């Protein structure tokens, strides 16, 4: 099954235009050019997708946008600011759902019509009154436990206008709430890694790209798509990660991509990259097969295992079949993962003989038993013995927020906090203990809604779900991000009140009772750094236009509610927008001064309208992860119980979980190609899109570049398409026992046989209010399974789903994903 990536495969690539943009939009701007740009009506701001230059015409209207930091590859997300601001699916004014309004006297008995109802416009005053009344009622009747304000989501960049932080700051001050644990990104890895490596690892700076380019001989891009996912960062992209990919391409380093799809990263690397398609969710057998081959040749690094690890002997026994009678040979692995035994042997030899860096992404842990993949990856790297050597070992964040881009010398910009920095007199924290006990792993939201009061295992604890009566979501979109949306939709009918703050009529807004129109980040002033690891720039995020329609900043909304609850002084700390920014900037400036980094004073910085770049640090450039540990494991132990890498964890073994044992193991997922029933013979993967950040920007004109048959595209292998009489461009229906979605077929060899790739983030667009409503836009989470990764982490399993696909024979239903609901036109 192994395929050598060849340029001929490029002919299958649709509309990608990845390489076309080099030099487009003249991204390089000197300080002088910036100053000039400002005079010409160009404004500097930033988004997750990097620092931006915004062009504004003489009437103040945004005409175009582009990068404010040079980069060789075009980032399409940077080009649609005008489209975001003036989008036809913006929420224009506060709205309340009709059924909710009609049922106000009986609010404790919800009408079950969320997501299938019309809306009624109300004034801001009416909205505040309504919310205040409901909040007081719920707080009095049920306490803080009744309110879920976990509000997971990617919001917009900025350290002041942080949507969910502001919600939680208000909730903290006004009497408490229940929150969430973990995230959707690394739900499994961030819980298992502290047991194995002593840190979450996934959000740590890996060995610098400069060191990799100089020292590595082999780079394995394992379940990662650096070209796509480095377009963004949690703060703002520093725009450097993808340039390093181009350097990698030119370096002569052998690059291997292990992925069920030929990703945009493999596409950019072209002939420099060998694509090894793997069956989804079977990386653990592949890694075990490689380890078996290492042991068979006595290539495993016994000195390293002895000095730096615990439990290698137990794992070795498992690999050789002494534990369960199954030797994890390359042949055994090949049968499961679809990579030939010959190729597995070749990989073992290649990794053993060369300095090898594993650049691992996260899709392979966003699946049932997802804890095992990263644990097994660390195990494989330990067997190779290169952890802590320049250019060897593993990095779990090269694909994310530009990990590996050298860290700069910098002061770090703080955020507004969930609790006021000064503490709070009105802050009665009695609720904190219970609310902390009742917070639940973020992806267990449907479980919590369906089973209030139920107990469940998590990381060695037994926890209890809260009884949620009121939900406020601010800065996230659960009706795209959560799995098995039909199940969420049912559970979502149970609370008494649901409030959503959003700039747009997302499916989540359409499923709310009270909807508040939020500004976009282009309608307010803020600050951000770039590069979550590099701390490369500090960027003024300047207001580009006035708030559209009646939209208000989340900050203003929660400040007003704080006033009504008598905690305004604590919420605002006496500051307005610009004094907050001056205050936060003052802290970064002070930190910089201590390190002798010259920075302008706030006023000057703000007026200059330019991106400030922090100085290069030699330490950052030469950073080798775990070099200190390797040099002296006694002086620099890991944060694990043994201080070493725990290939076997007594702590986990003592939890006695069948679905997560004391060492990394192959535990077949509940659904995968190895057990797919005849009616659902294909595995659906849901990678992150090149043209969106999750669901953000699906509503913009970028969609014209990728939509097929006016739906989300689905990649299907020519053999699977032919067997079903599906042609490129066809409208298709993808379905399983959980639901059904429409999509547009892209027939391509870029996806492995028996695998469909439907990118996450298409706006959920149910045809009606029924239990198995057809999603007309192609949201993969209608089909994904809603089940915890295991008793350990309870992470999401968005990559786990078997499905079938057929040509859609009915009349194409009208797409309504980007149409405001009835009553809201
Ligand atoms: N099947 C499957 N599911 C997945 C994944 C997958 O790979 N496969 N990936 C998962 C991952 S890793 C993640 S992180 C999640 C992401 O899921 P989300 O973070 O929920 O996705 P976003 O689309 O970024 O949602 C952010 C929302 O905030 C709104 N917003 C932006 N700025 C503001 C603001 O200033 N104020 C307010 N009030 N709202 C604002 C945006 O309009 C948008 O609707 O999805 C997860 N779901
Ligand atoms: N443009 C863009 N960038 C983003 C995001 C976005 O939505 N858009 N989201 C951001 C966020 S919040 C996150 S968490 C990260 C996500 O980062 P990741 O989770 O690493 O990204 P994915 O695209 O889900 O998956 C990476 C690759 O893994 C492959 N894959 C899927 N299943 C398997 C498997 O079983 N085995 C192997 N070997 N490979 C598999 C996919 O085909 C894909 O090419 O990206 C961030 N960056
Ligand atoms: Mo994520």
């Amino acid at each position: 099954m192994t395929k050598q990536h060849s340029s001929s495969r490029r002919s299958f690539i649709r509309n990608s235009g990845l390489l076309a943009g080099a030099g487009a939009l003249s991204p390089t701007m000197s300080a002088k050019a910036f100053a000039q740009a400002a005079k010409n009506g160009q404004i500097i701001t930033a988004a997750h997708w990097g620092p931006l230059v915004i062009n504004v015409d003489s009437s103040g209207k945004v005409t175009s946008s582009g990068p404010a930091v040079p980069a060789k590859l075009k980032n399409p997300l940077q080009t649609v600011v005008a489209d975001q601001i003036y989008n036809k699916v913006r929420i224009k004014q506060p709205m309340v759902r009709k059924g909710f309004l009609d049922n106000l006297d009986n609010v404790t008995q919800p009408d079950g019509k969320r997501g299938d109802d019309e809306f009624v416009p109300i004034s801001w005053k009416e909205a505040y009154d309504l919310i205040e009344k409901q909040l007081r009622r719920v707080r009095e009747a049920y306490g803080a436990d009744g309110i879920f304000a976990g509000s997971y989501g990617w919001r917009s960049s900025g350290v002041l206008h942080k949507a969910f932080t502001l919600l939680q700051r208000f909730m903290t001050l006004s009497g408490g709430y229940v929150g969430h644990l973990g995230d959707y990104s690394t739900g499994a890895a961030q819980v298992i890694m502290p047991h194995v490596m002593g840190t979450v690892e996934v959000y740590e700076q890996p060995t610098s790209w400069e060191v990799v380019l100089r020292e590595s001989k082999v780079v394995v891009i394992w379940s990662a798509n650096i070209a796509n996912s480095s377009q963004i960062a949690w703060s703002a992209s520093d725009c450097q990660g993808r340039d390093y990919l181009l350097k990698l391409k030119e370096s002569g380093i052998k690059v291997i991509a292990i992925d069920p799809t030929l990703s945009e990263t493999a596409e950019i690397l072209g002939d420099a990259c060998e694509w090894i398609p793997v069956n989804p969710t079977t990386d653990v057998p592949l890694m075990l097969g490689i380890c078996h081959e290492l042991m068979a040749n006595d290539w495993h690094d016994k000195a390293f295992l002895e000095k730096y690890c615990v439990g290698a002997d137990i794992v070795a026994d498992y690999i050789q079949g002494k534990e369960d009678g199954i030797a994890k040979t390359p042949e055994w692995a090949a049968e499961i993962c679809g990579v030939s035994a010959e190729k597995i042997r070749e990989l073992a030899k290649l990794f053993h003989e060369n300095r090898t860096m594993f650049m691992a992404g996260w899709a392979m842990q966003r699946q049932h038993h997802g804890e095992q993949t990263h644990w097994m990856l660390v195990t494989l790297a330990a067997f190779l013995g290169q952890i802590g050597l320049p250019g060897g070992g593993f990095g779990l964040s090269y694909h994310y927020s530009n990990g590996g881009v050298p860290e700069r010398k910098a002061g770090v910009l703080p955020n507004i906090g969930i609790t006021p920095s000064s503490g709070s007199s009105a802050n009665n924290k009695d609720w904190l203990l219970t609310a902390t006990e009742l917070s639940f792993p973020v992806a267990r939201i449907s479980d919590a809604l369906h089973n209030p009061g139920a107990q469940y295992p998590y990381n060695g604890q037994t926890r209890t779900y809260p009884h949620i009566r009121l939900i406020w979501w601010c800065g996230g979109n659960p009706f795209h991000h959560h799995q098995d949306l039909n199940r969420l939709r049912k559970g979502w009918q149970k609370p008494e009140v649901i409030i959503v703050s959003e700039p747009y009529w997302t499916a989540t807004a359409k499923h709310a009772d009270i909807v508040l129109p939020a500004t976009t980040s282009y309608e307010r002033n803020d600050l951000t750094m770039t590069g979550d690891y590099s701390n490369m720039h500090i960027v003024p995020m300047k207001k580009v236009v006035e708030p559209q329609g009646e939209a208000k900043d989340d900050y203003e909304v929660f400040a007003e509610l704080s006033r009504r609850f008598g905690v305004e002084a604590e919420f605002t700390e006496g500051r307005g927008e610009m004094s907050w920014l001056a205050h936060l900037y003052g802290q970064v400036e002070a930190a910089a001064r201590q390190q002798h980094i010259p920075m302008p004073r706030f006023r000057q910085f703000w007026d200059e309208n330019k991106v400030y770049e922090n100085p290069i640090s030699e330490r950052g450039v030469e950073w080798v992860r775990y070099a200190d540990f390797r040099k002296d494991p006694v002086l620099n132990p890991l944060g694990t119980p043994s201080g070493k890498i725990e290939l076997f964890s007594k702590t986990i073994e003592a939890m006695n979980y069948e679905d997560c044992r004391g060492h990394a193991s192959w535990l077949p997922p509940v659904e995968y190609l190895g057990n797919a029933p005849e009616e659902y013979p294909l595995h659906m993967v849901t990678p992150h899109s090149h043209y969106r950040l999750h669901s953000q920007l699906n509503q913009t004109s970028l969609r014209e570049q990728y939509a097929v048959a006016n739906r989300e595209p689905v990649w299907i292998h020519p053999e699977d398409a032919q067997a079903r009489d599906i042609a490129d461009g066809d409208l298709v229906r993808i379905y399983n026992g959980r639901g059904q979605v429409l999509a547009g077929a892209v027939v391509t060899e870029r996806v492995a046989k028996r695998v469909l790739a439907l990118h996450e983030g298409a706006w959920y667009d149910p045809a009606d209010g029924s239990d198995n409503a057809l999603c007309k836009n192609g949201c993969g989470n209608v089909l994904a399974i809603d089940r915890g990764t295991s008793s350990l982490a309870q992470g999401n399993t968005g990559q786990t789903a078997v499905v079938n696909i057929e040509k859609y024979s009915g009349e194409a239903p009208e797409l309504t994903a980007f149409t405001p609901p009835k009553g809201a036109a």
Side-chain angles (χ1 to χ4, degrees):
M1 190 163 178
T2 299
K3 284 180 190 152
Q4 184 74 36
H5 170 56
S6 75
S7 53
S8 67
R9 208 158 282 127
R10 298 246 168 76
S11 57
F12 292 102
I13 295 164
R14 298 178 71 87
N15 300 326
S16 92
L18 277 171
L19 296 163
L25 272 164
S26 98
T28 316
M29 276 198 126
S30 65
K32 229 168 148 188
F34 276 119
Q36 191 57 42
K39 277 194 204 123
N40 293 345
Q42 294 186 315
I43 302 171
I44 296 298
T45 183
H48 291 300
W49 31 95
L52 301 172
V53 183
I54 314 284
N55 292 297
V56 178
D57 72 13
S58 54
S59 70
K61 207 170 153 64
V62 174
T63 51
S64 64
S65 56
V69 163
K72 293 209 171 68
L73 290 171
K74 186 173 167 183
N75 182 342
L77 311 185
Q78 296 177 332
T79 61
V80 287
V81 169
D83 211 339
Q84 283 183 273
I85 295 172
Y86 308 118
N87 203 277
K88 66 179 187 328
V89 73
R90 286 287 303 259
I91 300 168
K92 298 200 178 83
Q93 64 197 103
M95 303 291 274
V96 60
R97 192 171 62 78
K98 187 163 181 310
F100 178 78
L101 206 54
D102 294 346
N103 195 39
L104 267 182
D105 292 336
N106 198 20
V107 73
T108 54
Q109 304 293 318
D111 64 349
K113 286 180 69 185
R114 294 192 179 111
D116 191 28
D117 201 358
E118 56 186 275
F119 282 81
V120 180
I122 52 173
S123 68
W124 271 104
K125 161 109 185 21
E126 287 167 317
Y128 285 136
D129 289 349
L130 190 56
I131 290 172
E132 183 188 344
K133 195 171 161 197
Q134 292 301 325
L135 273 175
R136 287 194 193 282
R137 181 185 64 77
V138 171
R139 280 208 187 295
E140 272 157 35
Y142 314 110
D145 316 358
I147 297 176
F148 179 68
S151 187
Y152 179 79
W154 265 71
R155 61 180 181 99
S156 294
S157 296
V159 291
L160 173 61
H161 295 284
K162 269 188 93 176
F164 63 81
T165 307
L166 296 169
L167 164 67
Q168 291 166 358
R169 184 177 171 95
F170 160 65
M171 288 292 181
T172 299
L173 291 170
S174 62
Y177 67 98
V178 173
H180 71 252
L181 308 169
D183 59 37
Y184 277 76
S185 312
T186 62
Q190 67 176 261
V191 179
I192 188 85
M193 278 299 119
H195 293 290
V196 179
M197 296 302 299
T199 78
V200 291
E201 201 59 39
V202 281
Y203 301 128
E204 305 286 344
Q205 171 77 318
T207 295
S208 139
W209 265 111
E210 296 290 341
V211 175
V212 168
L213 290 169
R214 197 178 64 220
E215 307 282 350
S216 304
K217 295 288 179 289
V218 176
V219 163
V220 185
I221 300 179
W222 207 318
S223 180
N225 188 357
I226 298 167
N228 269 16
S229 52
S230 291
Q231 290 181 150
I232 62 91
W234 179 240
S235 55
S237 173
D238 60 31
C239 307
Q240 308 300 302
R242 298 160 89 224
D243 276 14
Y244 276 111
L245 208 54
L246 295 180
K247 287 187 187 159
L248 180 65
K249 179 181 180 168
E250 303 306 323
S251 68
I253 294 172
K254 164 107 184 142
V255 188
I256 292 171
I258 301 179
D259 198 305
T261 74
L262 190 156
S263 68
E264 286 78 358
T265 304
E267 177 194 358
I268 285 173
L269 291 168
D271 292 336
C273 176
E274 178 185 353
W275 174 37
I276 301 183
V278 63
N279 291 335
T281 77
T282 64
D283 298 276
V284 169
L286 173 57
M287 294 169 193
L288 282 166
I290 297 171
C291 281
H292 190 278
E293 179 66 7
L294 293 175
M295 290 188 68
N297 292 287
D298 207 25
W299 287 337
H300 56 305
D301 189 332
K302 289 169 285 296
F304 182 88
L305 291 169
E306 175 71 24
K307 188 167 176 192
Y308 300 101
C309 307
V310 292
D313 46 339
I314 299 174
V315 178
D317 283 354
Y318 172 69
I319 290 168
Q320 293 189 312
K322 288 183 193 158
E323 196 183 302
D324 56 3
I326 301 167
K328 313 298 177 301
T329 62
E331 280 73 17
W332 168 85
E335 194 63 29
I336 302 169
C337 71
V339 179
S340 73
E342 189 191 355
K343 180 56 76 178
I344 294 173
R345 293 207 158 85
E346 184 188 314
L347 292 177
K349 186 162 193 282
L350 186 74
F351 300 164
H352 166 64
E353 287 176 352
N354 294 283
R355 187 62 60 84
T356 300
M357 176 58 81
F358 296 132
M359 298 186 170
W362 301 335
M364 66 176 166
Q365 53 85 59
R366 220 175 280 121
Q367 35 184 252
H368 192 210
H369 300 139
E371 292 85 355
Q372 305 305 314
T373 30
H374 283 73
W375 199 357
M376 191 60 221
L377 186 89
V378 170
T379 304
L380 169 59
F383 271 58
L384 288 165
Q386 299 181 16
I387 296 167
L389 291 179
F394 61 86
L396 306 189
S397 211
Y398 282 105
H399 67 295
Y400 176 75
S401 293
N402 297 279
V405 171
E407 187 181 344
R408 299 287 179 116
K409 253 176 91 172
V412 175
L413 193 59
N415 297 302
I416 188 168
I418 287 171
T419 34
S421 44
S422 53
S424 163
S425 54
N427 187 9
N428 170 0
K429 288 205 178 126
D430 289 349
W431 59 271
L432 201 58
L433 200 65
T434 12
T436 309
E437 277 170 7
L438 291 173
S439 61
F440 51 89
V442 67
R444 302 276 47 83
I445 176 76
S446 280
D447 279 359
L449 290 170
H450 283 283
N451 312 302
Q455 294 194 323
Y456 62 96
Y458 170 76
N459 202 12
Q461 312 160 13
T462 300
R463 299 183 68 91
T464 306
Y465 287 125
H467 195 141
I468 299 170
R469 322 285 179 148
L470 184 147
I471 296 178
W472 193 327
W473 224 288
C474 181
N477 188 4
F479 274 92
H480 107 77
H481 76 221
H482 191 60
Q483 291 62 55
D484 195 349
L485 289 177
N486 284 323
R487 180 167 184 249
L488 176 65
R489 214 177 181 207
K490 268 198 193 149
W492 194 259
Q493 304 299 340
K494 296 174 88 177
E496 296 167 11
V497 186
I498 298 185
I499 308 166
V500 169
S501 304
E502 250 296 336
Y504 306 101
W505 279 111
T506 60
T508 302
K510 288 177 181 173
H511 281 75
D513 298 324
I514 304 167
V515 178
L516 301 180
T519 51
T520 66
S521 60
Y522 312 116
E523 291 149 56
R524 57 208 188 200
N525 293 302
D526 215 325
L527 292 168
T528 187
M529 295 196 80
T530 72
D532 302 352
Y533 307 103
S534 70
N535 293 332
M536 189 162 171
H537 308 101
I538 299 175
V539 194
M541 290 177 64
K542 297 203 153 207
K543 184 197 259 195
V544 179
V545 293
E546 288 305 315
Q548 302 294 291
E550 290 183 24
K552 283 192 195 296
D553 299 345
D554 299 310
Y555 183 91
E556 190 183 338
V557 172
F558 295 117
E560 166 60 17
L561 285 169
S562 295
R563 191 187 64 74
R564 288 167 174 246
F565 280 81
V567 289
E568 186 188 16
E570 282 88 349
F571 185 89
T572 64
E573 296 183 39
R575 297 186 187 100
E577 186 183 63
M578 288 314 287
S579 50
W580 263 112
L581 299 182
H583 168 71
L584 295 168
Y585 183 93
Q587 296 183 42
V588 77
E589 196 198 338
R593 203 176 308 122
Q594 278 193 345
Q595 300 174 63
H596 309 291
I597 306 166
M599 278 191 79
R601 306 310 303 256
F602 177 67
R603 241 317 123 203
Q604 188 192 345
F605 165 80
W606 189 258
D607 291 345
E608 269 180 353
N609 190 37
K610 72 174 212 188
V611 178
Y612 172 84
E613 186 175 335
N614 280 308
I616 289 171
S617 128
E618 197 51 32
R619 188 178 171 270
V621 171
E622 292 302 324
W623 172 248
V624 175
R625 184 145 189 80
Y626 291 120
D628 288 354
F629 170 63
R630 185 163 190 125
K631 204 166 137 206
D632 193 334
V634 178
L635 265 185
N636 307 304
L638 302 184
T640 55
S642 61
K644 295 185 177 186
I645 301 173
E646 302 224 337
L647 305 184
F648 178 87
S649 162
K650 278 191 194 149
T651 314
I652 294 179
E653 161 134 303
M655 293 176 191
N656 228 346
Y657 294 146
E658 268 176 28
D659 51 3
C660 189
R661 295 146 19 106
H663 60 79
S665 325
W666 166 236
L667 303 169
V670 58
E671 289 181 17
Y672 78 121
L673 290 178
N675 62 12
E678 222 170 277
E679 66 262 48
Y680 309 125
L682 307 174
H683 193 119
M684 176 191 73
V685 292
T686 52
H688 291 227
S689 169
H690 174 63
Y691 297 98
R692 292 190 291 267
L693 171 61
H694 312 297
S695 72
Q696 296 192 51
L697 308 183
N698 192 209
Q699 76 276 34
T700 68
S701 54
L702 286 175
R703 190 169 178 276
E704 289 155 26
Q705 296 185 43
Y706 61 85
V708 173
N710 197 23
R711 321 285 152 163
E712 184 63 18
V714 60
W715 295 3
I716 178 170
H717 190 275
E719 280 184 23
D720 296 320
Q722 210 177 10
R724 291 167 179 78
D725 199 23
I726 292 169
D728 195 65
D730 276 354
L731 183 64
V732 290
R733 187 178 76 102
I734 314 171
Y735 59 96
N736 62 16
R738 289 179 287 274
Q740 44 172 347
V741 311
L742 291 182
V746 177
V747 179
T748 172
E749 284 183 15
R750 287 185 70 170
V751 64
K753 278 180 217 162
R754 296 184 63 200
V755 178
L756 299 181
L758 182 68
H759 291 80
E760 63 107 59
W763 285 22
Y764 174 55
D765 188 21
D768 48 53
S770 68
D771 281 358
N772 188 24
L774 177 70
C775 170
K776 300 180 287 182
N777 190 36
C779 178
N781 272 329
V782 173
L783 305 164
I785 197 166
D786 179 19
R787 172 179 183 138
T789 49
S790 84
S791 309
L792 187 88
Q794 299 284 7
N796 82 83
T797 53
Q799 299 289 339
T800 299
V802 293
V803 297
N804 208 343
I805 184 170
E806 65 181 14
K807 201 162 161 162
Y808 189 69
S809 44
E811 198 181 319
E814 188 199 346
L815 185 75
T816 49
F818 312 110
T819 312
K822 210 167 156 210

